[in-house]
Amino acid sequence: MSAALRTQVGIVGSGPSGLLLAQLLHLAGVDSVVLERRSRDYVLGRIRAGVLEQTTAEILRRARVGARMDREGLVHRGVELCFGERTQRIDFSPFGASVTVYGQTELTRDLMEARDALGGKSIYEAEDVAIEGVTGGAARLRWRKDGEQHLLDCDFVAGCDGFHGVSRRSIPAAELRTHERVYPFGWLGVLADVPPVSHELIYSSHERGFALCSMRSATRSRCYVQCALDDDLREWSDERFWDELRTRLPAEAAAKLQAGPTIEKSIAPLRSFVAEPLRYGRLFLAGDAAHIVPPTGAKGLNLAARDVDQLATALIAHYRDGRDELLNVYSDAALRRIWRAERFSAWMTSVLHRFPGRTSFDRAMQIAELDYLVGSAAARAAFVESYAGTLAVTVGAAT
Ligand SMILES: Cc1cc2nc3c(=O)[nH]c(=O)nc-3n(C[C@H](O)[C@H](O)[C@H](O)COP(=O)(O)OP(=O)(O)OC[C@H]3O[C@@H](n4cnc5c(N)ncnc54)[C@H](O)[C@@H]3O)c2cc1C
């Protein structure tokens, strides 16, 4: 066994949560070590989220990792909603709101490069990470790498290791409540080097099921169709995917759809999940380790960024000022924000998808919801507030 390393904050997971937390702490002079189960290339290769709220973009700029996002990200000031025979744009401009389309893969690369530039320590391919001592005077992380056992002593542990990570599982079941809804369908997503159908996202609620046309750049499309959870990817040829997507779009958008070979194709389940509390002694949960939203509202990555911003602020107050109030309210304050995003994501999922056993009344209710949304200035304002993340939230504060 090698000699124990020592740091202030041990961070488990090198996804966006772990890397952004490490960056914010480093800029404030708080030392951390990031432990990641996978290889660096594997983490960089994952295709996931792409829509950043305004507040997320601001956090990234403050973390000094926003330069490429500002150069290459696509700023959107609206989305298109299609339902029945209608296509309606929701304009964010009257509310002074926007979102930035910038792939999670690119953001992860920026965060890794920033950490390298600052000389921060990240350990990849750390196997069997175990979290110990969080209810005592100091915490310890233990892992295996290259056949050897390693130890890291730290004041706090940030559990940023996603839904399947070890951090949440390290909290005794009696101390944790979980709330979960698993949706009876999935999203079949593809990435392809074809120009997007539209310069903004198109959300379609079609009789055959939901569809979404998104993008990663002016030449790369990211598109999804609702599918059955037990669908076999091998039965979804590229041709079948594009045909199905075309069917679920209004005629004008369908005519603009360019099919092409897909670079990536996968089926993701949809889930709503919240664990509470987010603190167990010296262990704090953040990002997907603490909660999951269905991707319909594009909230997962944004929630993660806000969690770690809040956690970083609290940890910095501990080290800089010897104040623990923000650490003490982290869980309650974050959960209020998280439940609001859960509400919005579950609502968007419920109005846009085809649920098994749906009746004509259920469908009419969906259309009425969408009709109200596009027809009412108050409903549009509420939608934009949640979608673009402009609800007044003071960074690091208890709201
Ligand atoms: C297929 C898919 C598609 C998605 N699409 C969208 C989208 O369109 N919009 C959106 O907003 N969100 C989307 N999300 C959600 C978004 O990607 C997540 O909310 C975001 O990645 C959360 O970041 P995180 O760092 O908290 O967790 P993760 O990105 O999951 O990172 C956790 C890290 O911890 C590591 N880890 C796990 N276990 C251990 C362990 N035991 N020890 C050490 N390290 C460990 C993992 O390898 C990983 O690198 C999607 C998620 C998935 C899975």
Side-chain angles (χ1 to χ4, degrees):
M1 184 178 305
S2 53
L5 297 168
R6 159 93 205 142
T7 190
Q8 291 172 308
V9 183
I11 299 176
V12 188
S14 126
S17 302
L19 290 169
L20 180 58
L21 178 63
Q23 176 74 3
L24 290 166
L25 291 178
H26 195 113
L27 294 176
V30 178
D31 189 50
S32 67
V33 172
V34 176
L35 287 184
E36 164 62 46
R37 183 175 58 162
R38 303 286 195 170
S39 71
R40 184 180 167 118
D41 285 348
Y42 181 94
V43 174
L44 270 178
R46 279 193 300 231
I47 311 291
R48 288 185 170 180
V51 178
L52 306 182
E53 296 173 353
Q54 265 171 240
T55 311
T56 304
E58 283 158 21
I59 295 169
L60 296 173
R61 287 184 198 112
R62 189 154 37 79
R64 298 191 205 155
V65 287
R68 197 159 68 95
M69 170 194 73
D70 282 332
R71 273 198 317 275
E72 298 177 14
L74 306 172
V75 176
H76 288 189
R77 295 194 167 80
V79 289
E80 281 183 33
L81 286 181
C82 309
F83 54 100
E85 298 304 312
R86 297 170 62 180
T87 300
Q88 202 93 30
R89 179 169 183 266
I90 298 198
D91 185 5
F92 300 166
S93 310
F95 312 104
S98 64
V99 293
T100 302
V101 173
Y102 189 64
Q104 181 168 331
T105 316
E106 304 309 317
L107 171 59
T108 305
R109 182 179 298 281
D110 295 344
L111 285 163
M112 281 183 180
E113 287 176 1
R115 185 147 181 84
D116 291 346
L118 293 174
K121 191 168 178 62
S122 299
I123 298 167
Y124 288 90
E125 297 175 85
E127 295 169 47
D128 300 332
V129 172
I131 302 170
E132 298 168 1
V134 290
T135 52
R140 171 166 271 193
L141 295 175
R142 196 184 281 275
W143 70 98
R144 214 161 35 80
K145 185 173 163 91
D146 301 328
E148 225 184 303
Q149 282 290 331
H150 300 266
L151 300 172
L152 174 70
D153 290 326
C154 45
D155 304 326
F156 299 103
V157 177
C160 299
D161 48 352
F163 185 66
H164 300 288
V166 67
S167 300
R168 195 180 64 253
R169 281 188 281 118
S170 304
I171 302 176
E175 304 291 336
L176 200 69
R177 286 185 307 284
T178 59
H179 312 272
E180 184 170 37
R181 174 184 291 169
V182 179
Y183 294 86
F185 42 73
W187 276 19
L188 169 63
V190 306
L191 193 66
D193 277 328
V194 291
V197 176
S198 161
H199 68 286
E200 290 174 344
L201 271 66
I202 300 178
Y203 288 85
S204 176
S205 171
H206 189 268
E207 283 296 332
R208 290 175 62 85
F210 171 75
L212 170 61
C213 296
S214 182
M215 71 285 290
R216 288 294 177 267
S217 70
T219 55
R220 181 167 282 190
S221 292
R222 179 74 168 150
C223 299
Y224 304 88
V225 292
Q226 177 185 347
C227 65
L229 270 176
D230 57 359
D231 267 10
D232 186 344
L233 259 189
R234 287 168 300 189
E235 287 170 15
W236 279 96
S237 64
D238 288 357
E239 194 184 8
R240 180 177 169 206
F241 176 85
W242 294 118
D243 284 349
E244 186 61 38
L245 179 60
R246 200 174 282 113
T247 307
R248 297 185 192 186
L249 294 177
E252 202 185 324
K256 288 191 202 142
L257 178 70
Q258 282 190 37
T262 61
I263 309 168
E264 196 260 357
K265 193 187 286 164
S266 54
I267 293 178
L270 270 68
R271 183 193 306 272
S272 298
F273 175 89
V274 180
E276 46 188 14
L278 305 182
R279 177 181 189 174
Y280 179 61
R282 295 174 176 275
L283 169 63
F284 292 85
L285 301 179
D288 278 17
H291 45 72
I292 296 286
V293 283
T296 327
K299 289 283 151 265
L301 179 56
N302 293 293
L303 269 181
R306 293 218 191 178
D307 290 354
V308 295
D309 187 41
Q310 190 179 335
L311 183 56
T313 305
L315 288 165
I316 292 164
H318 168 86
Y319 285 109
R320 197 179 270 173
D321 313 321
R323 286 176 38 231
D324 281 347
E325 297 93 327
L326 293 177
L327 280 178
N328 292 338
V329 299
Y330 168 74
S331 180
D332 286 349
L335 281 164
R336 280 178 55 205
R337 174 175 44 72
I338 289 161
W339 276 115
R340 286 200 294 248
E342 291 284 349
R343 180 203 69 80
F344 178 70
S345 303
W347 173 79
M348 262 192 96
T349 305
S350 73
V351 294
L352 291 171
H353 288 78
R354 183 185 174 109
F355 283 72
R358 186 185 68 183
T359 63
S360 59
F361 182 84
D362 297 333
R363 179 60 178 157
M365 279 293 111
Q366 287 184 323
I367 299 288
E369 280 276 355
L370 293 165
D371 186 44
Y372 174 62
L373 170 59
V374 300
S376 154
R380 286 197 301 276
F383 175 87
V384 174
E385 193 175 63
S386 288
Y387 187 84
T390 53
L391 188 62
V393 174
T394 311
V395 170
T399 43

